[in-house]
Structures are given as structure tokens and as C-alpha cells.
PDB file of all heavy atoms in Angstrom:
ATOM      1  N   SER F  12      62.263  55.549 166.286  1.00 95.00           N
ATOM      2  CA  SER F  12      61.368  56.709 166.331  1.00 95.00           C
ATOM      3  C   SER F  12      60.773  57.027 164.963  1.00 95.00           C
ATOM      4  O   SER F  12      59.760  57.732 164.869  1.00 95.00           O
ATOM      5  CB  SER F  12      62.113  57.934 166.868  1.00 95.00           C
ATOM      6  OG  SER F  12      63.255  58.231 166.087  1.00 95.00           O
ATOM      7  N   PHE F  13      61.375  56.503 163.882  1.00 96.00           N
ATOM      8  CA  PHE F  13      60.859  56.752 162.538  1.00 96.00           C
ATOM      9  C   PHE F  13      59.907  55.657 162.056  1.00 96.00           C
ATOM     10  O   PHE F  13      59.327  55.779 160.976  1.00 96.00           O
ATOM     11  CB  PHE F  13      62.013  56.888 161.534  1.00 96.00           C
ATOM     12  CG  PHE F  13      62.769  58.179 161.644  1.00 96.00           C
ATOM     13  CD1 PHE F  13      63.861  58.292 162.486  1.00 96.00           C
ATOM     14  CD2 PHE F  13      62.373  59.296 160.920  1.00 96.00           C
ATOM     15  CE1 PHE F  13      64.561  59.484 162.607  1.00 96.00           C
ATOM     16  CE2 PHE F  13      63.063  60.493 161.024  1.00 96.00           C
ATOM     17  CZ  PHE F  13      64.165  60.593 161.876  1.00 96.00           C
ATOM     18  N   SER F  14      59.734  54.595 162.829  1.00 95.00           N
ATOM     19  CA  SER F  14      58.851  53.499 162.403  1.00 95.00           C
ATOM     20  C   SER F  14      57.411  53.950 162.173  1.00 95.00           C
ATOM     21  O   SER F  14      56.764  53.494 161.217  1.00 95.00           O
ATOM     22  CB  SER F  14      58.896  52.353 163.418  1.00 95.00           C
ATOM     23  OG  SER F  14      60.172  51.754 163.428  1.00 95.00           O
ATOM     24  N   PRO F  15      56.851  54.858 163.010  1.00 96.00           N
ATOM     25  CA  PRO F  15      55.483  55.332 162.728  1.00 96.00           C
ATOM     26  C   PRO F  15      55.366  56.040 161.386  1.00 96.00           C
ATOM     27  O   PRO F  15      54.282  56.038 160.775  1.00 96.00           O
ATOM     28  CB  PRO F  15      55.200  56.299 163.894  1.00 96.00           C
ATOM     29  CG  PRO F  15      56.082  55.828 165.003  1.00 96.00           C
ATOM     30  CD  PRO F  15      57.326  55.350 164.327  1.00 96.00           C
ATOM     31  N   VAL F  16      56.463  56.645 160.895  1.00 97.00           N
ATOM     32  CA  VAL F  16      56.434  57.304 159.590  1.00 97.00           C
ATOM     33  C   VAL F  16      56.188  56.274 158.494  1.00 97.00           C
ATOM     34  O   VAL F  16      55.393  56.493 157.566  1.00 97.00           O
ATOM     35  CB  VAL F  16      57.753  58.063 159.328  1.00 97.00           C
ATOM     36  CG1 VAL F  16      57.767  58.666 157.920  1.00 97.00           C
ATOM     37  CG2 VAL F  16      57.963  59.159 160.375  1.00 97.00           C
ATOM     38  N   VAL F  17      56.865  55.128 158.596  1.00 95.00           N
ATOM     39  CA  VAL F  17      56.686  54.060 157.609  1.00 95.00           C
ATOM     40  C   VAL F  17      55.264  53.517 157.672  1.00 95.00           C
ATOM     41  O   VAL F  17      54.627  53.298 156.631  1.00 95.00           O
ATOM     42  CB  VAL F  17      57.702  52.926 157.846  1.00 95.00           C
ATOM     43  CG1 VAL F  17      57.486  51.786 156.856  1.00 95.00           C
ATOM     44  CG2 VAL F  17      59.127  53.456 157.729  1.00 95.00           C
ATOM     45  N   MET F  18      54.753  53.314 158.871  1.00 95.00           N
ATOM     46  CA  MET F  18      53.386  52.820 159.028  1.00 95.00           C
ATOM     47  C   MET F  18      52.391  53.810 158.428  1.00 95.00           C
ATOM     48  O   MET F  18      51.461  53.419 157.709  1.00 95.00           O
ATOM     49  CB  MET F  18      53.080  52.593 160.506  1.00 95.00           C
ATOM     50  CG  MET F  18      51.737  51.956 160.780  1.00 95.00           C
ATOM     51  SD  MET F  18      51.660  50.197 160.314  1.00 95.00           S
ATOM     52  CE  MET F  18      52.517  49.441 161.694  1.00 95.00           C
ATOM     53  N   PHE F  19      52.590  55.102 158.706  1.00 97.00           N
ATOM     54  CA  PHE F  19      51.700  56.130 158.157  1.00 97.00           C
ATOM     55  C   PHE F  19      51.782  56.151 156.633  1.00 97.00           C
ATOM     56  O   PHE F  19      50.761  56.254 155.940  1.00 97.00           O
ATOM     57  CB  PHE F  19      52.079  57.499 158.726  1.00 97.00           C
ATOM     58  CG  PHE F  19      51.369  58.650 158.049  1.00 97.00           C
ATOM     59  CD1 PHE F  19      50.030  58.905 158.313  1.00 97.00           C
ATOM     60  CD2 PHE F  19      52.033  59.459 157.132  1.00 97.00           C
ATOM     61  CE1 PHE F  19      49.367  59.958 157.677  1.00 97.00           C
ATOM     62  CE2 PHE F  19      51.380  60.509 156.501  1.00 97.00           C
ATOM     63  CZ  PHE F  19      50.049  60.761 156.770  1.00 97.00           C
ATOM     64  N   GLY F  20      52.997  56.061 156.078  1.00 96.00           N
ATOM     65  CA  GLY F  20      53.160  56.064 154.629  1.00 96.00           C
ATOM     66  C   GLY F  20      52.440  54.899 153.974  1.00 96.00           C
ATOM     67  O   GLY F  20      51.808  55.055 152.922  1.00 96.00           O
ATOM     68  N   GLY F  21      52.504  53.720 154.600  1.00 94.00           N
ATOM     69  CA  GLY F  21      51.822  52.555 154.045  1.00 94.00           C
ATOM     70  C   GLY F  21      50.311  52.699 154.074  1.00 94.00           C
ATOM     71  O   GLY F  21      49.625  52.348 153.111  1.00 94.00           O
ATOM     72  N   VAL F  22      49.776  53.217 155.181  1.00 95.00           N
ATOM     73  CA  VAL F  22      48.323  53.426 155.287  1.00 95.00           C
ATOM     74  C   VAL F  22      47.871  54.480 154.284  1.00 95.00           C
ATOM     75  O   VAL F  22      46.840  54.319 153.610  1.00 95.00           O
ATOM     76  CB  VAL F  22      47.953  53.856 156.727  1.00 95.00           C
ATOM     77  CG1 VAL F  22      46.485  54.275 156.801  1.00 95.00           C
ATOM     78  CG2 VAL F  22      48.227  52.710 157.700  1.00 95.00           C
ATOM     79  N   LEU F  23      48.639  55.570 154.170  1.00 97.00           N
ATOM     80  CA  LEU F  23      48.300  56.630 153.216  1.00 97.00           C
ATOM     81  C   LEU F  23      48.324  56.101 151.784  1.00 97.00           C
ATOM     82  O   LEU F  23      47.445  56.419 150.971  1.00 97.00           O
ATOM     83  CB  LEU F  23      49.283  57.798 153.361  1.00 97.00           C
ATOM     84  CG  LEU F  23      49.078  58.993 152.418  1.00 97.00           C
ATOM     85  CD1 LEU F  23      47.721  59.646 152.656  1.00 97.00           C
ATOM     86  CD2 LEU F  23      50.209  60.007 152.602  1.00 97.00           C
ATOM     87  N   MET F  24      49.300  55.268 151.479  1.00 96.00           N
ATOM     88  CA  MET F  24      49.422  54.705 150.137  1.00 96.00           C
ATOM     89  C   MET F  24      48.213  53.841 149.797  1.00 96.00           C
ATOM     90  O   MET F  24      47.603  53.981 148.727  1.00 96.00           O
ATOM     91  CB  MET F  24      50.702  53.871 150.030  1.00 96.00           C
ATOM     92  CG  MET F  24      50.974  53.307 148.651  1.00 96.00           C
ATOM     93  SD  MET F  24      52.464  52.263 148.627  1.00 96.00           S
ATOM     94  CE  MET F  24      53.723  53.446 149.095  1.00 96.00           C
ATOM     95  N   GLY F  25      47.848  52.949 150.711  1.00 96.00           N
ATOM     96  CA  GLY F  25      46.693  52.087 150.471  1.00 96.00           C
ATOM     97  C   GLY F  25      45.408  52.884 150.341  1.00 96.00           C
ATOM     98  O   GLY F  25      44.579  52.598 149.471  1.00 96.00           O
ATOM     99  N   GLY F  26      45.241  53.908 151.182  1.00 97.00           N
ATOM    100  CA  GLY F  26      44.032  54.724 151.126  1.00 97.00           C
ATOM    101  C   GLY F  26      43.912  55.512 149.842  1.00 97.00           C
ATOM    102  O   GLY F  26      42.838  55.579 149.226  1.00 97.00           O
ATOM    103  N   CYS F  27      45.020  56.107 149.395  1.00 97.00           N
ATOM    104  CA  CYS F  27      44.991  56.911 148.167  1.00 97.00           C
ATOM    105  C   CYS F  27      44.782  56.038 146.937  1.00 97.00           C
ATOM    106  O   CYS F  27      44.075  56.426 146.003  1.00 97.00           O
ATOM    107  CB  CYS F  27      46.280  57.718 148.037  1.00 97.00           C
ATOM    108  SG  CYS F  27      46.391  59.097 149.191  1.00 97.00           S
ATOM    109  N   PHE F  28      45.393  54.839 146.944  1.00 97.00           N
ATOM    110  CA  PHE F  28      45.197  53.954 145.795  1.00 97.00           C
ATOM    111  C   PHE F  28      43.749  53.485 145.718  1.00 97.00           C
ATOM    112  O   PHE F  28      43.143  53.466 144.640  1.00 97.00           O
ATOM    113  CB  PHE F  28      46.139  52.759 145.875  1.00 97.00           C
ATOM    114  CG  PHE F  28      46.042  51.844 144.685  1.00 97.00           C
ATOM    115  CD1 PHE F  28      46.605  52.199 143.469  1.00 97.00           C
ATOM    116  CD2 PHE F  28      45.362  50.637 144.771  1.00 97.00           C
ATOM    117  CE1 PHE F  28      46.497  51.362 142.367  1.00 97.00           C
ATOM    118  CE2 PHE F  28      45.248  49.803 143.674  1.00 97.00           C
ATOM    119  CZ  PHE F  28      45.820  50.168 142.467  1.00 97.00           C
ATOM    120  N   ALA F  29      43.185  53.107 146.874  1.00 97.00           N
ATOM    121  CA  ALA F  29      41.778  52.682 146.895  1.00 97.00           C
ATOM    122  C   ALA F  29      40.864  53.816 146.446  1.00 97.00           C
ATOM    123  O   ALA F  29      39.900  53.599 145.695  1.00 97.00           O
ATOM    124  CB  ALA F  29      41.400  52.216 148.301  1.00 97.00           C
ATOM    125  N   ALA F  30      41.166  55.054 146.870  1.00 98.00           N
ATOM    126  CA  ALA F  30      40.352  56.200 146.478  1.00 98.00           C
ATOM    127  C   ALA F  30      40.447  56.437 144.969  1.00 98.00           C
ATOM    128  O   ALA F  30      39.442  56.746 144.314  1.00 98.00           O
ATOM    129  CB  ALA F  30      40.807  57.445 147.238  1.00 98.00           C
ATOM    130  N   ALA F  31      41.647  56.289 144.404  1.00 98.00           N
ATOM    131  CA  ALA F  31      41.823  56.499 142.965  1.00 98.00           C
ATOM    132  C   ALA F  31      41.021  55.488 142.159  1.00 98.00           C
ATOM    133  O   ALA F  31      40.368  55.829 141.160  1.00 98.00           O
ATOM    134  CB  ALA F  31      43.317  56.400 142.612  1.00 98.00           C
ATOM    135  N   VAL F  32      41.055  54.224 142.584  1.00 97.00           N
ATOM    136  CA  VAL F  32      40.300  53.179 141.879  1.00 97.00           C
ATOM    137  C   VAL F  32      38.796  53.441 142.002  1.00 97.00           C
ATOM    138  O   VAL F  32      38.047  53.322 141.022  1.00 97.00           O
ATOM    139  CB  VAL F  32      40.663  51.787 142.436  1.00 97.00           C
ATOM    140  CG1 VAL F  32      39.756  50.715 141.833  1.00 97.00           C
ATOM    141  CG2 VAL F  32      42.125  51.460 142.147  1.00 97.00           C
ATOM    142  N   PHE F  33      38.341  53.814 143.189  1.00 98.00           N
ATOM    143  CA  PHE F  33      36.916  54.095 143.390  1.00 98.00           C
ATOM    144  C   PHE F  33      36.464  55.259 142.513  1.00 98.00           C
ATOM    145  O   PHE F  33      35.409  55.188 141.861  1.00 98.00           O
ATOM    146  CB  PHE F  33      36.647  54.422 144.863  1.00 98.00           C
ATOM    147  CG  PHE F  33      35.251  54.909 145.116  1.00 98.00           C
ATOM    148  CD1 PHE F  33      34.189  54.020 145.192  1.00 98.00           C
ATOM    149  CD2 PHE F  33      34.979  56.269 145.246  1.00 98.00           C
ATOM    150  CE1 PHE F  33      32.888  54.460 145.411  1.00 98.00           C
ATOM    151  CE2 PHE F  33      33.688  56.727 145.459  1.00 98.00           C
ATOM    152  CZ  PHE F  33      32.638  55.819 145.538  1.00 98.00           C
ATOM    153  N   ILE F  34      37.235  56.331 142.488  1.00 97.00           N
ATOM    154  CA  ILE F  34      36.876  57.506 141.691  1.00 97.00           C
ATOM    155  C   ILE F  34      36.753  57.141 140.218  1.00 97.00           C
ATOM    156  O   ILE F  34      35.796  57.538 139.533  1.00 97.00           O
ATOM    157  CB  ILE F  34      37.927  58.627 141.890  1.00 97.00           C
ATOM    158  CG1 ILE F  34      37.737  59.263 143.271  1.00 97.00           C
ATOM    159  CG2 ILE F  34      37.825  59.691 140.796  1.00 97.00           C
ATOM    160  CD1 ILE F  34      38.837  60.243 143.648  1.00 97.00           C
ATOM    161  N   ALA F  35      37.718  56.366 139.716  1.00 97.00           N
ATOM    162  CA  ALA F  35      37.703  55.989 138.302  1.00 97.00           C
ATOM    163  C   ALA F  35      36.483  55.125 137.972  1.00 97.00           C
ATOM    164  O   ALA F  35      35.769  55.368 136.987  1.00 97.00           O
ATOM    165  CB  ALA F  35      38.994  55.259 137.944  1.00 97.00           C
ATOM    166  N   PHE F  36      36.218  54.112 138.788  1.00 97.00           N
ATOM    167  CA  PHE F  36      35.084  53.224 138.514  1.00 97.00           C
ATOM    168  C   PHE F  36      33.755  53.963 138.670  1.00 97.00           C
ATOM    169  O   PHE F  36      32.823  53.737 137.895  1.00 97.00           O
ATOM    170  CB  PHE F  36      35.127  52.007 139.443  1.00 97.00           C
ATOM    171  CG  PHE F  36      35.948  50.871 138.892  1.00 97.00           C
ATOM    172  CD1 PHE F  36      37.305  50.773 139.164  1.00 97.00           C
ATOM    173  CD2 PHE F  36      35.372  49.908 138.076  1.00 97.00           C
ATOM    174  CE1 PHE F  36      38.064  49.740 138.656  1.00 97.00           C
ATOM    175  CE2 PHE F  36      36.118  48.865 137.559  1.00 97.00           C
ATOM    176  CZ  PHE F  36      37.479  48.784 137.841  1.00 97.00           C
ATOM    177  N   PHE F  37      33.678  54.840 139.662  1.00 97.00           N
ATOM    178  CA  PHE F  37      32.435  55.592 139.856  1.00 97.00           C
ATOM    179  C   PHE F  37      32.117  56.442 138.633  1.00 97.00           C
ATOM    180  O   PHE F  37      30.975  56.462 138.146  1.00 97.00           O
ATOM    181  CB  PHE F  37      32.549  56.476 141.102  1.00 97.00           C
ATOM    182  CG  PHE F  37      31.299  57.238 141.422  1.00 97.00           C
ATOM    183  CD1 PHE F  37      30.328  56.673 142.241  1.00 97.00           C
ATOM    184  CD2 PHE F  37      31.068  58.503 140.895  1.00 97.00           C
ATOM    185  CE1 PHE F  37      29.153  57.363 142.538  1.00 97.00           C
ATOM    186  CE2 PHE F  37      29.906  59.195 141.186  1.00 97.00           C
ATOM    187  CZ  PHE F  37      28.941  58.630 142.000  1.00 97.00           C
ATOM    188  N   ASP F  38      33.137  57.146 138.128  1.00 95.00           N
ATOM    189  CA  ASP F  38      32.895  58.031 136.987  1.00 95.00           C
ATOM    190  C   ASP F  38      32.596  57.264 135.710  1.00 95.00           C
ATOM    191  O   ASP F  38      31.826  57.729 134.866  1.00 95.00           O
ATOM    192  CB  ASP F  38      34.108  58.945 136.776  1.00 95.00           C
ATOM    193  CG  ASP F  38      33.988  60.223 137.586  1.00 95.00           C
ATOM    194  OD1 ASP F  38      33.344  60.185 138.643  1.00 95.00           O
ATOM    195  OD2 ASP F  38      34.533  61.263 137.163  1.00 95.00           O
ATOM    196  N   MET F  39      33.200  56.093 135.539  1.00 95.00           N
ATOM    197  CA  MET F  39      32.993  55.347 134.298  1.00 95.00           C
ATOM    198  C   MET F  39      31.676  54.582 134.277  1.00 95.00           C
ATOM    199  O   MET F  39      31.046  54.468 133.220  1.00 95.00           O
ATOM    200  CB  MET F  39      34.169  54.382 134.074  1.00 95.00           C
ATOM    201  CG  MET F  39      35.467  55.056 133.650  1.00 95.00           C
ATOM    202  SD  MET F  39      36.759  53.865 133.191  1.00 95.00           S
ATOM    203  CE  MET F  39      37.082  53.049 134.737  1.00 95.00           C
ATOM    204  N   TRP F  40      31.251  54.052 135.432  1.00 95.00           N
ATOM    205  CA  TRP F  40      30.131  53.106 135.412  1.00 95.00           C
ATOM    206  C   TRP F  40      28.902  53.566 136.195  1.00 95.00           C
ATOM    207  O   TRP F  40      27.836  52.964 136.039  1.00 95.00           O
ATOM    208  CB  TRP F  40      30.595  51.751 135.935  1.00 95.00           C
ATOM    209  CG  TRP F  40      31.716  51.189 135.132  1.00 95.00           C
ATOM    210  CD1 TRP F  40      33.021  51.096 135.500  1.00 95.00           C
ATOM    211  CD2 TRP F  40      31.643  50.684 133.797  1.00 95.00           C
ATOM    212  NE1 TRP F  40      33.777  50.548 134.490  1.00 95.00           N
ATOM    213  CE2 TRP F  40      32.958  50.283 133.430  1.00 95.00           C
ATOM    214  CE3 TRP F  40      30.607  50.520 132.874  1.00 95.00           C
ATOM    215  CZ2 TRP F  40      33.244  49.740 132.185  1.00 95.00           C
ATOM    216  CZ3 TRP F  40      30.903  49.972 131.626  1.00 95.00           C
ATOM    217  CH2 TRP F  40      32.202  49.598 131.302  1.00 95.00           C
ATOM    218  N   ILE F  41      29.031  54.591 137.017  1.00 94.00           N
ATOM    219  CA  ILE F  41      27.881  55.054 137.801  1.00 94.00           C
ATOM    220  C   ILE F  41      27.458  56.465 137.409  1.00 94.00           C
ATOM    221  O   ILE F  41      26.274  56.730 137.194  1.00 94.00           O
ATOM    222  CB  ILE F  41      28.200  54.996 139.312  1.00 94.00           C
ATOM    223  CG1 ILE F  41      28.490  53.548 139.735  1.00 94.00           C
ATOM    224  CG2 ILE F  41      27.058  55.581 140.137  1.00 94.00           C
ATOM    225  CD1 ILE F  41      28.896  53.387 141.186  1.00 94.00           C
ATOM    226  N   ARG F  42      28.422  57.361 137.317  1.00 89.00           N
ATOM    227  CA  ARG F  42      28.082  58.751 136.988  1.00 89.00           C
ATOM    228  C   ARG F  42      27.557  58.851 135.550  1.00 89.00           C
ATOM    229  O   ARG F  42      28.130  58.262 134.624  1.00 89.00           O
ATOM    230  CB  ARG F  42      29.306  59.649 137.162  1.00 89.00           C
ATOM    231  CG  ARG F  42      28.970  61.141 137.104  1.00 89.00           C
ATOM    232  CD  ARG F  42      30.242  61.983 137.134  1.00 89.00           C
ATOM    233  NE  ARG F  42      31.021  61.810 138.320  1.00 89.00           N
ATOM    234  CZ  ARG F  42      30.816  62.464 139.463  1.00 89.00           C
ATOM    235  NH1 ARG F  42      29.787  63.317 139.567  1.00 89.00           N
ATOM    236  NH2 ARG F  42      31.605  62.269 140.489  1.00 89.00           N
ATOM    237  N   LYS F  43      26.491  59.580 135.366  1.00 83.00           N
ATOM    238  CA  LYS F  43      25.926  59.782 134.027  1.00 83.00           C
ATOM    239  C   LYS F  43      26.658  60.923 133.319  1.00 83.00           C
ATOM    240  O   LYS F  43      26.868  61.991 133.900  1.00 83.00           O
ATOM    241  CB  LYS F  43      24.439  60.137 134.123  1.00 83.00           C
ATOM    242  CG  LYS F  43      23.594  59.075 134.826  1.00 83.00           C
ATOM    243  CD  LYS F  43      23.570  57.783 134.058  1.00 83.00           C
ATOM    244  CE  LYS F  43      22.654  56.763 134.738  1.00 83.00           C
ATOM    245  NZ  LYS F  43      22.655  55.450 134.023  1.00 83.00           N
ATOM    246  N   PRO F  44      27.079  60.712 132.077  1.00 74.00           N
ATOM    247  CA  PRO F  44      27.733  61.794 131.348  1.00 74.00           C
ATOM    248  C   PRO F  44      26.765  62.934 131.069  1.00 74.00           C
ATOM    249  O   PRO F  44      25.572  62.707 130.846  1.00 74.00           O
ATOM    250  CB  PRO F  44      28.209  61.129 130.071  1.00 74.00           C
ATOM    251  CG  PRO F  44      27.324  59.938 129.877  1.00 74.00           C
ATOM    252  CD  PRO F  44      26.974  59.478 131.285  1.00 74.00           C
ATOM    253  N   LYS F  45      27.279  64.147 131.114  1.00 72.00           N
ATOM    254  CA  LYS F  45      26.434  65.312 130.815  1.00 72.00           C
ATOM    255  C   LYS F  45      26.072  65.305 129.348  1.00 72.00           C
ATOM    256  O   LYS F  45      26.925  65.039 128.491  1.00 72.00           O
ATOM    257  CB  LYS F  45      27.165  66.584 131.183  1.00 72.00           C
ATOM    258  CG  LYS F  45      27.373  66.781 132.674  1.00 72.00           C
ATOM    259  CD  LYS F  45      28.056  68.115 132.948  1.00 72.00           C
ATOM    260  CE  LYS F  45      28.245  68.306 134.460  1.00 72.00           C
ATOM    261  NZ  LYS F  45      28.920  69.608 134.751  1.00 72.00           N
TER     262      LYS F  45
END
């Protein structure tokens, strides 16, 4: 009954890591500094 928790944790981990990398690259190479 706890297996879906592990699956959810893995999906959440991958999504948050991908979002962190995207945010960093967007701000460094696309966003114009004020």
C-alpha cells in the first residue's frame, strides 16, 4: 500500500530537479539583467 508513495516521491524528485535546472539556466542565459 506504500508503493505509490515511492513512485510519487520519485516523480516529484525528477520534476523538482528539472525545474531547478531550468530556472537556473533561464536566469543566467535568457533573462536580461536589470
Side-chain angles (χ1 to χ4, degrees):
S12 57
F13 286 90
S14 294
V16 176
V17 178
M18 186 72 78
F19 171 75
V22 172
L23 179 62
M24 184 183 298
C27 287
F28 183 75
V32 173
F33 172 79
I34 286 172
F36 272 90
F37 183 89
D38 271 29
M39 287 187 294
W40 301 107
I41 298 177
R42 191 186 299 275
K43 301 295 183 182
K45 292 183 179 180

